[in-house]
Amino acid sequence: MATFLYKLGRLAFRRRHFVALIWVALLTLAGVGAASAPAAGNTSFSIPGTEAQKAFDLLEQRFPGMSADGATARVVFKAPKGEKMTDAVNKATVEKTVTQLRSGSEVASVADPYTGHAVSKNGTIAYASVKYEVSGMELADSSKDALTDAAQDARDAGLTVEIGGDALSATPETGSSEIIGIAVAAVVLVITFGSLLAAGFPLLTAIIGVGIGVSAITALASALDLGTTTSTLASMIGLAVGIDYALFIVSRYRAELAEGREREDAAGRAVGTAGSAVVFAGLTVVIALVGLSVVNIPMLTKMGIAAAGTVAIAVLIALTMIPALLGYAGRRIKPAGQKSRLLGGGRTPRKPGRPNMGTRWASFVVRRPVAVLLLGVLGLGAAAVPAASLELGLPDDGSQPTSTTQRRAYDLLSEGFGPGFNGPLMIVVDAKDSADPKAAFAEVGDEIKGLKDVVTVTPATPNKAGDTATITVVPDSKPSSTTTEDLVHAIRDKGADIARKTDSQVLVTGSTAMNIDVSQKLNDALLPYLALVVGLAFLLLIVVFRSILVPLKAALGFLLSVMAALGAVVAVFQWGWLSGLMNVEETGPVMSMMPIFMVGVVFGLAMDYEVFLVTRMREAYVHGEKPSQAVVTGFKYGARVVTAAAVIMIAVFSGFIGSSESMVKMIGFGLAIAVFFDAFLVRMAIVPAVLALLGKRAWWLPKWLDRALPNVDVEGEGLRAHAAEEEKELVRA
């Protein structure tokens, strides 16, 4: 592979006009496709195989036009101090608002508070329930505007009015933190390369790759039912790996120049060596993202595949566009160790010949591997301790910032009707095969009334055929609590007994039950997903490093860093440590998607650092250095680049911590802390310590396996043979 990529790099360097034209044409084509594509609606959301989804599907069949999965809104009214909602003036305002809400084009129904018993016992709070014909993801902006306008009119009349439910999604506010993250990335690149031009290449190619990927997703969004979250994930991951991959190749190019090679040859060797590491690092990311399909949540599968496609584009751009840009730059890109004149180039170094920081650190670790290994493992182990208390759930309006109308509506409903009112359960009773459907409906209601944590059970509402009914259950606890989850399981257990007695089926659904089922589905899929991703990457790394112990060490180190990151997430977002610093207003269960999402993204990025750093060590070892010296050599050339890449990723991910959305804040913090743990504690401390202790055994591979594995030559050994062959041909000529 190294020889092929070497030739590709030289070809791209020589034919830079052609290469640049191809990528510009692809970007233009994708942009035109995105601009001319039909506007995509929001993606549909379904969770195949869950009881909540089965109930929704049954309601669609038995209650035509009910829009069981349609968006809902609760417009909550509170009377001024000293007044009640039953006062004539306040009642008239509410009724006017209800009439206004009913005029919406997508509105299925609006329940009047005064006819639907939706006024609190003390008379100070009331709410109007709005049901829409489409889901919250498909709701038009005009419907959302009509909802907010109606609420504002009621506020102008003197009432306190807030809107809850999934019809009006809170818009996350990130402020300037994301821009600061990108600015930090640019500064780190400038410091790393000592050149504004060289620093600009990774940013330019990453933006081009993300532009092509996101434009392609936009162009296909309508046909493939892709939502906005798909392009968001693709852009985040594409930008992250795009900067990393270009950074690796540009850094290796400058190192080759420092060894006295011609620029075209240096570009070829950079692509042949660092490019090989980029290919396999990219493959690990693609495996991690495509592997999300094992969860069997269509939206998550589409997000993973789309992001994997963007990563593949980032790899191709790094292998071709970077050497082409290096050809355009010519002598303006300085060899490693030299800076441009603008940034202080040409000055005499204060201590010529002094080893760089990476060399000094690696030498220290090689001398004291046991101490470094113990400190690293114990530190990560201590950080991972809170993960033992991990509680998973999906966020609801109760986790929103208090500045949002959703959170204020949630609090008003809790005040007037109890905390469980924000997460009612919908019981669907299928009595089609029952001899006495009405008796079955009554039996279900009576059984549920006898359960703990139940406040209200409404009478059964049958369909026209009389074979299916819905029952609403209001718990005594808030939707995200474990008590409510226990109630859902208790109802389902009772349903199994009722089914045997009455030949009917009892299903629990609603947003709260759906959240519980999604969390369970993600939790069940975590271990299979982890086994798939780590297993496939382990096999891939055996091919790359031609070793058993090095890939094993890489996988174990990754698991340690992920557990430590999950522990940090639990400590901050579940326990409330440093919650003031992180501006976490409400602690609670960790988002159920967080562990599997963190495994996928962080594993890919961690393997980037592992492949780039350790292939340098492998290269030095193959070329004749002793194992301990190979570790130092790997850090001499790779530590600065890996450090820069990690700092960039931490800065970019930290930008999401400033979001007002708790879920986005949690993802940003989790990814940032995971990259910190993996890059600086695992790859920069534990990895060299373990390799120093293993010595030659680190590179051991059974002979039968060595013969069976393909020789991908990531370390570039084949380039020496290729260079020797070229020299012989020149002599003959």
Side-chain angles (χ1 to χ4, degrees), residues 115 162 304 369 427 547 589 646 711:
T115 59
E162 305 296 346
I427 314 302
S547 163
N711 185 12

Side-chain angles (χ1 to χ4, degrees), residues 655-677:
F656 292 92
I657 298 176
S659 173
S660 62
E661 175 69 46
S662 62
M663 182 172 68
V664 176
K665 185 191 297 287
M666 189 182 297
I667 289 174
F669 173 79
L671 294 181
I673 198 71
V675 170
F676 172 78
F677 285 150

